[in-house]
Amino acid sequence: YEFLLKCIMDLMSLFLIFIIGFFSAIIGITVGSSDFIRIPLLVMLGLPPKVAVASNKVGAILKNIVGIYKYGKTKHINSKLGFLLVIFEFIGAIIGAKILLNINDSIIGKVVAIALFIVVILTLLKKNLGVKKKEKISKKKLLIGVILFFLLSIFKGAIGGTGIFQTYILATLFGLTFLECAGTRRIPNLISALTSVFIFSFHKIINWEVGIVLLISEGLGAYVGATLALKKGNKFVRRLFITVGIILSIVVLYNSFI
């Protein structure tokens, strides 16, 4: 009886993880930072914070592949920029993964909360950001953008949830629209996910049952989310970007300090 009950509870938990992965990926594939939804919920379901972060990386693989397909098919990917950023994302993912392996669990939630608070401020600073593409970008902005993207890649490798930051940088410093941001960052993000999974699997901190469920659910959610974003356009994604940033900041701040 106890064994049967445990099996039922495990199946229910995996079903909840599937639902979490699916709906969070709809947000992640459009505006980003869905890690801030999944990771706290995975922890609430009983996973240690480090295991939750590591297992979450598995789901990101198929999500990014689907994103590359959907946004690439509609020519919303700046391939040249995307492959340039791969270099920095790869190095940052290695550094970030090493940081996660040595970081204190109690710090993770507070780091995420502070990061989200900054995101909310950034989203409210520019009213028309990401709606129209900027054709001419100065070399200074490009340099600053690459440096900031590299720093974010370290944070992404350690925890994740940098999508909103990446979107802001790509729109502000590289002049991309929101749809181009969503598509272009898929290329370096895929490399980051693959690198992190390789490192975390070597150190045996991935829960593969959870990871595989997230892989499937996020892939399906990414397809739905990208389809919706491409249909609705940049203005819709911008509104979603701001809404998600505000909601996530409130939720994560609350969860981190109660």
Side-chain angles (χ1 to χ4, degrees):
Y1 175 77
E2 290 182 0
F3 175 75
L4 180 61
L5 184 61
K6 184 180 183 301
C7 288
I8 293 173
M9 293 299 291
D10 288 344
L11 287 173
M12 288 180 64
S13 294
L14 290 175
F15 177 73
L16 285 173
I17 290 168
F18 182 91
I19 297 299
I20 292 166
F22 177 79
F23 285 103
S24 63
I26 294 176
I27 295 172
I29 202 68
T30 51
V31 299
S33 295
S34 56
D35 295 336
F36 292 156
I37 300 173
R38 282 188 302 276
I39 293 172
L41 291 175
L42 290 175
V43 172
M44 286 176 63
L45 288 173
L47 289 180
K50 289 180 183 178
V51 175
V53 172
S55 305
N56 179 61
K57 298 292 183 182
V58 179
I61 295 174
L62 188 54
K63 178 180 71 177
N64 286 309
I65 291 174
V66 170
I68 290 171
Y69 167 73
K70 290 290 289 182
Y71 289 115
K73 189 178 179 181
T74 53
K75 298 181 180 180
H76 284 97
I77 292 180
N78 185 325
S79 300
K80 185 178 179 180
L81 176 59
F83 283 110
L84 170 64
L85 295 175
V86 161
I87 302 169
F88 303 98
E89 191 87 2
F90 176 70
I91 299 171
I94 295 173
I95 298 171
K98 295 295 184 182
I99 290 173
L100 177 69
L101 293 170
N102 296 286
I103 195 172
N104 189 308
D105 285 348
S106 64
I107 296 176
I108 294 177
K110 292 180 175 60
V111 171
V112 170
I114 293 169
L116 271 174
F117 180 73
I118 296 171
V119 165
V120 173
I121 295 174
L122 294 178
T123 58
L124 295 173
L125 285 178
K126 293 192 176 183
K127 295 182 179 180
N128 299 312
L129 182 69
V131 177
K132 293 183 179 180
K133 184 174 182 177
K134 297 178 182 178
E135 298 296 337
K136 293 183 179 180
I137 302 297
S138 67
K139 291 182 179 179
K140 181 180 178 180
K141 280 191 174 183
L142 289 175
L143 179 60
I144 294 173
V146 167
I147 293 172
L148 290 177
F149 204 94
F150 172 66
L151 295 175
L152 281 180
S153 70
I154 296 174
F155 186 89
K156 184 176 186 64
I159 299 174
T162 60
I164 288 181
F165 285 103
Q166 290 179 336
T167 297
Y168 184 84
I169 289 172
L170 290 172
T172 305
L173 299 175
F174 294 99
L176 304 186
T177 64
F178 274 111
L179 288 175
E180 289 173 328
C181 293
T184 301
R185 63 188 180 85
R186 293 297 132 214
I187 299 175
N189 285 2
L190 175 60
I191 300 303
S192 176
L194 290 169
T195 304
S196 296
V197 167
F198 177 79
I199 294 172
F200 295 146
S201 62
F202 178 78
H203 289 276
K204 299 179 180 179
I205 62 169
I206 293 177
N207 182 317
W208 285 104
E209 284 187 353
V210 172
I212 296 302
V213 170
L214 287 174
L215 184 76
I216 298 169
S217 61
E218 287 190 53
L220 293 171
Y223 188 90
V224 173
T227 302
L228 179 65
L230 290 167
K231 181 179 179 180
K232 295 292 186 178
N234 284 303
K235 289 184 178 180
F236 167 79
V237 178
R238 173 181 164 75
R239 289 194 293 269
L240 185 62
F241 177 86
I242 294 171
T243 303
V244 169
I246 293 172
I247 293 174
L248 286 181
S249 65
I250 294 171
V251 171
V252 178
L253 281 170
Y254 176 78
N255 289 335
S256 297
F257 293 101
I258 59 173

